[in-house]
Amino acid sequence: MCMGVATANSILVVSFARERLEVLVGDARKASLEAGFVRLRPVLMTALAMIIGMVPMGWTWRRRRAKRTPGRA
């Protein structure tokens, strides 16, 4: 799941940089930096939402594992 989110975000950053490259006519460095700055907030929001959504599953998995461990009181 994490790899899918990272891949989707990177595709969006690259496509935005290509659009800016057409506007800036050949300044690839400036287009890529602008794409990184503009897309940083949505990328971080997506990653944070995924992390927050996975935390309850991690807590549940830990509790279930503790119940199945033999020899512990």
Side-chain angles (χ1 to χ4, degrees):
M1 179 186 291
C2 186
M3 290 301 296
V5 170
T7 302
N9 285 333
S10 64
I11 290 170
L12 289 172
V13 170
V14 170
S15 67
F16 189 82
R18 290 188 71 182
E19 289 175 8
R20 294 303 301 162
L21 185 60
E22 292 173 3
V23 172
L24 296 175
V25 188
D27 193 3
R29 180 182 169 98
K30 190 170 183 178
S32 62
L33 285 174
E34 186 176 339
F37 288 131
V38 171
R39 294 294 307 164
L40 179 64
R41 182 172 175 240
V43 166
L44 290 177
M45 288 173 60
T46 303
L48 185 62
M50 183 192 66
I51 291 168
I52 290 171
M54 294 180 86
V55 166
M57 289 189 294
W59 284 335
T60 304
W61 179 73
R62 180 181 286 177
R63 280 187 265 158
R64 287 182 185 168
R65 185 183 67 183
K67 288 180 182 178
R68 290 185 299 211
T69 305
R72 291 195 179 186

